[in-house]
Amino acid sequence: MTRGAILSGLGTWLPPQVVTNDMLSSELDTSDEWIRTRTGIARRHIASPGMSTGHLATEAARRALKSAGTDRVDVVIVATSTPDRPCPATAPVVASSLGLTGTGAFDVAAVCTGFVYALATAAGLITGQVADSALVIGADTFSTILDPRDRTTRVIFGDGAGAVVLRAGDRAEEGALRGFDLGSDGTGVDLITVPGGGSEQRLSGAEAAPDDHYFHMDGPQVFTRAVRYMTGSVRKVLDTAALAPEDVAHLVPHQANVRILDTCARELGLPAERVVKNIDRVGNTVAASIPLALAAGAADGRLRAGDPVVLTGFGGGLTWGSALLTWPGGLTVIAD
């Protein structure tokens, strides 16, 4: 037996408040047609006052634990770029809310690639025998850092959370994580960023401009690099298992923009039906994007036991990463 990390639970949660394209059109110079044709998004969920990223993460985690049939794990990892506070991390509070006080808990910040990075970290802890089980959560409330006047970002992002439970097992069994590819390029730091509020700005001696506390993104540059790095990363992780793109049953990408997803599929030579998409219903939910898409793919029956499935993401940093797994049989997904 070769020790591996096995996917044994999956749960998601979306805040109840829904914002449609028509609702945004009443506030911004945009329209349902403009948003759909450029992003593929029709609606998104937004956290209400009194909620936080930790609240969303906890709700998704409860469902993942129930899906796995357990109430205990050895470590909790929260992937987020919108933590409840700059300090401390959100994960210990989430763990405590789940009755897991005393469990190792920490955050991972890799923006839209955060879930893949957290998944790789948890798998490493399990295969390295530091832990026998892990709860990996992707959660973000990007609505809290968007300029309410900026139609180019506000129409894209939604809030949400998704979580998985991993357990130690045999790397040859269904549900096993079979390989990872992670990468970064810090020269692109300004392409996806919130400029103000960190030590760089505070130690510069200059006051942050009001807009510096909002999220900024260079859309054309992000599009080009997202396609390049995600497709390259998918090929690399497949190489580790001596597989080719045509061997992939389904690609589950970060739901950034439908045009990015379609272009990645063409670059990899994958037919559209092999790419899992739920961006039309939830928008870009950042670190929550991939687990929410996994739940959508499981719900419609596309992800079947034994299927080779590849997860891939691209985000600020710049960061990118992919994971290869065999889809488990008998998994009951518990969604919102």
Side-chain angles (χ1 to χ4, degrees):
M1 169 180 165
T2 300
R3 184 178 172 101
I6 314 300
L7 176 63
S8 62
L10 172 58
T12 67
W13 195 76
L14 293 164
Q17 183 180 356
V18 174
V19 176
T20 65
N21 291 348
D22 287 336
M23 293 167 70
L24 288 177
S25 298
S26 68
E27 302 177 35
L28 302 167
D29 180 18
T30 189
S31 67
D32 176 65
E33 181 184 10
W34 188 92
I35 298 169
R36 284 177 186 265
T37 56
R38 286 161 177 79
T39 69
I41 300 167
R43 52 185 279 175
R44 71 284 296 147
H45 292 251
I46 301 298
S48 301
M51 292 183 179
S52 71
T53 294
H55 177 91
L56 274 60
T58 300
E59 293 299 323
R62 289 190 200 281
R63 289 159 173 76
L65 291 168
K66 185 176 180 180
S67 168
T70 186
D71 59 2
R72 304 298 304 177
V73 291
D74 296 328
V75 65
V76 176
I77 306 174
V78 174
T80 186
S81 294
T82 51
D84 288 359
R85 306 179 185 189
C87 173
T90 300
V93 179
V94 171
S96 181
S97 298
L98 296 167
L100 298 173
T101 300
T103 297
F106 58 94
D107 288 0
V108 169
V111 199
C112 299
T113 323
F115 183 77
V116 176
Y117 269 63
L119 199 65
T121 302
L125 292 173
I126 289 173
T127 57
Q129 301 188 50
V130 176
D132 289 325
S133 59
L135 175 61
V136 181
I137 310 164
D140 268 302
T141 51
F142 249 53
S143 63
T144 62
I145 59 171
L146 299 179
D147 184 343
R149 304 160 298 176
D150 183 7
R151 72 170 183 172
T152 63
T153 58
R154 194 165 164 214
V155 302
I156 295 172
F157 294 95
D159 302 333
V164 299
V165 175
L166 304 181
R167 61 166 176 84
D170 188 338
R171 195 169 180 270
E173 68 180 281
E174 289 179 353
L177 288 156
R178 299 168 57 188
F180 292 93
D181 172 70
L182 304 176
S184 72
D185 178 6
T187 64
V189 64
D190 291 326
L191 298 181
I192 301 172
T193 186
V194 177
S199 64
E200 181 182 57
Q201 175 263 310
R202 291 180 179 181
L203 290 173
S204 70
E207 289 292 325
D211 287 353
D212 285 348
H213 293 289
Y214 291 129
F215 175 82
H216 296 260
M217 179 173 66
D218 184 332
Q221 282 290 328
V222 168
F223 186 104
T224 301
R225 298 195 189 201
V227 172
R228 181 198 315 164
Y229 290 128
M230 284 201 292
T231 55
S233 183
V234 168
R235 291 190 175 97
K236 284 183 180 179
V237 79
L238 289 174
D239 284 346
T240 65
L243 296 176
E246 54 266 28
D247 299 318
V248 175
H250 288 288
L251 177 69
V252 184
H254 162 57
Q255 306 289 300
N257 175 306
V258 74
R259 290 180 173 180
I260 290 175
L261 305 188
D262 291 343
T263 305
C264 284
R266 286 196 299 271
E267 291 284 327
L268 292 167
L270 290 175
E273 59 269 21
R274 291 200 197 180
V275 181
V276 175
K277 301 175 188 174
N278 68 335
I279 190 170
D280 59 320
R281 305 186 295 277
V282 298
N284 181 338
T285 53
V286 197
S289 172
I290 290 175
L292 284 169
L294 278 174
D300 65 20
R302 276 188 289 173
L303 303 182
R304 295 173 293 188
D307 279 351
V309 176
V310 175
L311 321 179
T312 189
F314 170 84
L318 300 169
T319 58
W320 58 88
S322 298
L324 171 66
L325 72 148
T326 304
W327 192 251
L331 180 68
T332 300
V333 179
I334 303 178
D336 53 284

